[in-house]
Amino acid sequence: MDIQPISARYRGEVNAILKEEWACPPSVSRGKAIDTTGLPGFVSLEDNRINGIITYNIENSACEIVTLNSFEENRGVGTALINAVCSAAKAEKCTKIWLITTNDDIDAIRFCQRKGFAWIATRIDAIEVSRKLKPSIPLIGRYGIPIKHELEFERKL
Ligand SMILES: CC(C)(COP(=O)(O)OP(=O)(O)OC[C@H]1O[C@@H](n2cnc3c(N)ncnc32)[C@H](O)[C@@H]1OP(=O)(O)O)[C@@H](O)C(=O)NCCC(=O)NCCS
């Protein structure tokens, strides 16, 4: 597995994938929209093919994981991408790394807790606000579960 920063070489493909996966830009978390098209991040490569993407945004010594996708699950891709962002965030003197997921994303909820993130907040019906900023957020998400609530996870660095 080869983890590389999202350089100009990968940017076009990354943005096309994020559009397909998350209808980005924008990404919305905590009632704020963020343009993902120029965010720093990493790709995971297997035989020169992208099989994972992570993007992040640093503000006030805190690093938000804005998007995370593994396209070959249970092989360590997600873990390697999280580790790459942790190293980058530490190098930027961040004190914590955090992310938002939604109530339907059972795989992410499990993954985050297994990776040492603490579930620190649940914002009931927050996705109603997010949909005002991003009407394309689907009503029904993973496993047929209605997407309604924001869950916040964080890990101290
Ligand atoms: C959540 C997500 C990023 C996890 O990515 P992933 O690549 O499957 O993650 P990993 O492979 O690193 O870890 C998942 C499991 O595989 C295991 N694993 C890793 N390498 C392995 C290997 N070589 N053989 C067997 N199992 C392995 C890990 O130990 C982990 O299991 P555990 O939690 O029981 O320890 C992925 O499911 C995903 O993209 N989901 C859809 C998008 C999404 O929800 N994004 C938001 C994420 S916050």
Side-chain angles (χ1 to χ4, degrees):
M1 195 188 316
D2 182 16
I3 304 292
Q4 294 292 332
I6 303 175
S7 58
R9 176 175 175 188
Y10 301 114
R11 183 63 70 184
E13 195 181 346
V14 163
N15 286 348
I17 294 171
L18 295 185
K19 187 168 186 162
E20 178 75 25
E21 291 292 322
W22 302 107
C24 283
S27 175
V28 179
S29 59
R30 303 205 297 204
K32 213 172 116 188
I34 181 166
D35 181 1
T36 49
T37 55
L39 286 179
F42 296 91
V43 290
S44 160
L45 302 166
E46 186 83 39
D47 299 328
N48 287 322
R49 203 175 37 81
I50 292 177
N51 66 359
I53 302 172
I54 194 164
T55 62
Y56 64 95
N57 184 43
I58 293 177
E59 268 178 29
N60 302 323
S61 302
C63 176
E64 177 184 4
I65 293 176
V66 179
T67 68
L68 170 61
N69 287 96
S70 164
F71 305 112
E72 283 178 57
E73 290 175 308
N74 302 318
R75 288 190 45 216
V77 170
T79 304
L81 290 168
I82 291 266
N83 289 343
V85 171
C86 281
S87 299
K90 274 186 197 160
E92 300 274 340
K93 308 255 185 295
C94 289
T95 54
K96 68 173 184 178
I97 183 162
W98 65 279
L99 64 86
I100 295 291
T101 188
T102 46
N103 60 289
D104 62 303
D105 203 343
I106 307 300
D107 296 330
I109 294 167
R110 177 185 183 281
F111 178 76
C112 289
Q113 292 178 95
R114 289 284 292 163
K115 294 296 141 198
F117 284 73
W119 185 342
I120 59 153
T122 303
R123 280 181 283 278
I124 301 297
D125 291 332
I127 305 306
E128 280 177 23
V129 178
S130 302
R131 282 200 185 91
K132 292 199 170 92
L133 297 167
K134 181 170 176 174
S136 59
I137 297 174
L139 291 172
I140 305 295
R142 296 173 202 272
Y143 301 101
I145 300 171
I147 307 177
K148 289 172 174 257
H149 318 304
E150 267 192 354
L151 319 182
E152 183 170 340
F153 288 88
E154 77 168 37
R155 191 166 112 179
K156 303 282 184 214
L157 289 172

